[in-house]
Amino acid sequence: QGAFTDGYGAALVLSTKVTDKAKAGVQYVHATSDNIAGGAKTKYNEYDLDVSYAYNKKFKVSGYYAILKTDVEDSTADTTQNKARVEMKYSF
């Protein structure tokens, strides 16, 4: 990874309460940047899906799935990364 300059980014987040205990949401992030090392423009697009369920006041289960796509101008260094996480949280 290198240092980035001359870029911009934007995000769109939508979230809703499905039931009193369940929530769901989607996120989209788009950003561009110039890489100092190579001078090539890089575009980033990230798509996220998240859900959560509060069993009661103390126990909550949540998870998300994210896809990050990187597109480097004039290069074959394009990448796609997928990440998923599930979290179970109990508060005392």
Side-chain angles (χ1 to χ4, degrees):
Q1 304 287 343
F4 297 98
T5 62
D6 298 332
Y8 73 91
L12 174 64
V13 178
L14 301 171
S15 183
T16 186
K17 196 175 190 181
V18 179
T19 67
D20 286 342
K21 295 183 176 189
K23 295 180 184 176
V26 294
Q27 301 172 23
Y28 171 72
V29 179
H30 175 79
T32 63
S33 184
D34 290 339
N35 189 330
I36 294 173
K41 288 194 178 212
T42 305
K43 293 181 186 176
Y44 303 93
N45 290 297
E46 183 174 348
Y47 310 91
D48 297 342
L49 173 64
D50 58 86
V51 293
S52 67
Y53 181 78
Y55 183 73
N56 57 34
K57 289 182 180 181
K58 294 187 175 195
F59 183 65
K60 180 180 175 182
V61 178
S62 61
Y64 78 89
Y65 182 74
I67 301 170
L68 173 63
K69 294 185 178 187
T70 305
D71 180 22
V72 181
E73 186 179 65
D74 300 329
S75 174
T76 59
D78 302 343
T79 61
T80 299
Q81 300 175 14
N82 298 302
K83 183 180 271 192
R85 181 176 85 185
V86 174
E87 178 180 83
M88 299 166 120
K89 183 177 179 183
Y90 186 83
S91 301
F92 293 95

